[in-house]
Amino acid sequence: MDAMNVKPDRVEFYGSAVSSRLLLGTAQYPSPAILSEAIRASGAEIVTVSLRRESGASKAGQSFWSLIRELGVKVLPNTAGCKTVKEAVTTAEMARELFGTPWVKLEVIGEDDTLQPDVFGLVEAARILSRDGFQVFPYTTEDLVVAEKLISAGCEVLMPWGAPIGSGRGLNNPYGLRSLRAHFPGIPLVVDAGIGLPSHAAAAMEMGYDAVLLNTAVAKAGDPVRMARAFAQAIEAGREALLADPMETRDMAAPSTPVMGRAMLGD
Amino acid sequence: MSSPTIDNDTAAVARDGAANAMNVTIVGAGVAGLTCAHAFAERGARVTILERRAGTGQGCSWYAGGMLAPWCERESAEPLVAELGFESLDYWRREVPDVPKEGSLVLAPPRDLPDLRRFARRTEGFEWVDGAKIAALEPDLEGRFDQGLFFPTEAHLEPRKALAALTAKLVNEHDVTIRYETDADGEVAGQADIVVDCRGLAARDQLADLRGVKGEMLVLFTREIALKRPVRMLHPRIPVYVVPRGDGHFMIGATSIENDERGRVTGRSMLELLSAVYALHPAFGEAEVVEIGADVRPAFPDNLPRIRKRGRTIYVNGFYRHGFLLAPALARRAAAVAFDGAHFPEVMDEDRREW
């Protein structure tokens, strides 16, 4: 949170610096062509790719993955839909082989209706994967103790949810997210999931989050390309606002023009 | 790509009438190949179809849902798909028997009503229906849903029967020759004036930007429930449709996976399709599983169809999830390309569409 902003404003994940603070998911777009245009419009430098649905045990999803690779962005493979530690670890290993990256967005889903993380499985899988040389981006809740345990398991990035995946509800627990930010000033924090509108993303950035990861809000918009652009602008606005050191709120009105010495015009 | 000389030759052949009819070889006897054969034969061409399998319609057409639902598709597809779809809907109603125009019903469980509202926002041609109207349309769904969308102008068909009827028509009324278990390689080159390549994903050797999108389906049999029309159940992750096939049979589809692997059906996909359809009506839980199947749909990066002309070969491909909905409209255009030198920018303008 360097408010001086002398260096270019970049965020680092495991030593890789990127300028764009929007991470975009690649699922559910009307077509690969629209996906590609949306990624370009968003300016995102990192995209997440779900392995499970596309792969099977074979490499039959190659053509979709090569479409993604051709975009020249960094790929953050995810373990979307995995419900057990074992599944998540296996999927991560497949992803590493396929995309040649140690990065993995770790999802261990604990509950079908809310798709909320199974934080116990998450910590365990994070420990196994970190030990195995992976650089883990854990999809977690805003719980501080879980966050501590993820960090001691080897995670150098945390990705708390805003709201349940695909719900579009925004930041359900601003207090919890604020306190997470305050507790881990040195850890890159990404709000992942639940974002529905650009204003939600802007709010996360104003709160001091380093980046925002979203998918459905863009993919399921009537015009995904336009929505991608809207999110890019909102995230930039929120980040700029944070760096500009916003004013404090106060209880009473404070005139923006001094009353004393005001020019007397007419009547 | 298309040379004016060839187009002139083509037009000359067309003008010469029956004695000098245009010789057209169609490669592939799926919904694309058969509708192209029909369109070319109706324009007076002498048509031969080469098919590597032992029958027609046995590629991914075999596993199609057969919904003729331009308005419903408009929700997630480009407007072009709906435009072409209306033309095709009329074609099927005109050319093959048993294409009931009973409309389509779109439903969502109470927790997914936002998806129903979104669906409604994206398309037209429907009316909102309440529980009573839903029960009037589909008595077996009485009391199960409070809100839905009814698209009265849509239709559906049984893909296997429809293609069998079309095949019979081609052979009996249009003297189309079909050569089964025949590969196109080498043989095609010498004889035909025009080759229409309708091989689906197999044409990837010529159309490099084609990709496969896997779809899995199943057929259930039960006498406990009857439906008159296709019913779609919305869900944020697992939308499903049920198409009544008559005689207690229901086609349940379909997954859509970025993957070009033929045939392999996963437990997860079956689990998801079955739990979604079970939510539509518990009778499906007791139904007999008659068939499960999977194949790969050919698609271009924008999921829109293409006609490409290279020399004397015309490629008709990329129908994605919309084979029956698009094929007749594309077939008519392909014939016009060959006979009239016509150009259809919406499906031929490669600069705009190629990715």
Side-chain angles (χ1 to χ4, degrees), chain B:
Chain B
M1 284 208 199
S2 69
S3 89
T5 323
I6 300 252
D7 282 342
N8 291 340
D9 288 351
T10 304
V13 171
R15 275 193 305 273
D16 285 346
N20 272 319
M22 184 193 289
N23 276 310
V24 176
T25 297
I26 311 252
V27 189
V31 68
L34 294 175
T35 51
C36 278
H38 194 197
F40 277 82
E42 284 201 317
R43 297 288 306 258
R46 198 158 35 231
V47 177
T48 303
I49 304 178
L50 307 183
E51 167 56 46
R52 63 180 166 156
R53 292 185 174 82
T56 58
Q58 296 187 356
C60 65
S61 303
W62 191 252
Y63 301 101
M67 290 180 293
L68 303 171
W71 287 127
C72 283
E73 294 306 329
R74 180 69 192 86
E75 183 263 338
S76 58
E78 306 258 344
L80 176 65
V81 171
E83 287 163 32
L84 298 169
F86 287 110
E87 182 181 334
S88 299
L89 194 158
D90 292 340
Y91 171 90
W92 291 115
R93 299 256 305 153
R94 189 174 65 237
E95 301 294 345
V96 301
D98 300 326
V99 187
K101 197 171 184 175
E102 294 284 356
S104 324
L105 195 55
V106 179
L107 302 171
R111 53 183 282 173
D112 294 325
L113 286 179
D115 291 314
L116 197 63
R117 288 195 291 272
R118 176 181 182 276
F119 199 103
R121 264 205 324 275
R122 297 286 168 79
T123 187
E124 301 164 48
F126 63 87
E127 52 192 87
W128 280 96
V129 287
D130 60 9
K133 184 72 198 285
I134 293 169
L137 289 166
E138 296 292 358
D140 285 341
L141 297 181
E142 182 173 7
R144 302 195 56 79
F145 296 90
D146 296 327
Q147 285 185 67
L149 307 173
F150 178 52
F151 294 77
T153 58
E154 300 186 332
H156 67 283
L157 51 72
E158 213 284 43
R160 299 169 193 182
K161 287 185 186 159
L163 292 190
L166 183 55
T167 303
K169 181 177 215 146
L170 292 175
V171 173
N172 300 332
E173 295 172 28
H174 296 281
D175 287 326
V176 170
T177 306
I178 307 180
R179 291 163 57 191
Y180 293 109
E181 296 178 312
T182 305
D183 259 319
D185 300 344
E187 170 152 24
V188 173
Q191 306 150 12
D193 300 310
I194 291 280
V195 175
V196 187
D197 186 323
C198 299
R199 287 179 295 151
L201 193 61
R204 192 154 50 173
D205 57 357
Q206 299 297 321
L207 307 172
D209 51 349
L210 210 53
R211 77 184 198 287
V213 182
K214 177 173 160 181
E216 297 146 286
M217 55 77 83
L218 69 159
V219 178
L220 296 179
F221 172 77
T222 174
R223 295 281 184 200
E224 286 178 42
I225 176 175
L227 296 174
K228 288 196 189 70
R229 54 185 63 75
V231 178
R232 297 176 187 233
M233 270 277 280
L234 302 184
H235 183 278
R237 279 172 300 127
I238 318 157
V240 68
Y241 58 80
V242 179
V243 187
R245 291 262 166 106
D247 200 25
H249 287 76
F250 298 88
M251 185 274 189
I252 317 293
T255 57
S256 195
I257 302 174
E258 290 289 343
N259 179 319
D260 52 19
E261 165 191 63
R262 270 174 210 279
R264 201 177 68 101
V265 176
T266 66
R268 167 188 280 253
S269 294
M270 288 302 105
L271 180 71
E272 290 180 347
L273 289 175
L274 282 168
S275 25
V277 81
Y278 180 68
L280 178 67
H281 198 290
F284 288 116
E286 303 303 319
E288 177 186 346
V289 178
V290 176
E291 178 185 347
I292 59 176
D295 211 316
V296 180
R297 317 163 176 105
F300 289 106
D302 57 7
N303 293 342
L304 292 174
R306 298 282 194 294
I307 295 172
R308 285 181 182 160
K309 189 166 189 303
R310 293 178 187 165
R312 63 195 176 98
T313 302
I314 297 175
Y315 296 89
V316 181
N317 215 318
F319 291 165
Y320 182 49
R321 298 194 296 110
H322 305 120
F324 282 80
L325 193 62
L326 298 178
L330 269 284
R332 184 180 69 77
R333 283 166 176 73
V337 168
F339 280 89
D340 314 328
H343 184 80
F344 297 94
E346 70 276 20
V347 289
M348 295 178 74
D349 195 338
E350 309 231 339
D351 289 338
R352 186 166 75 85
R353 297 191 181 280
E354 213 156 9
W355 183 40

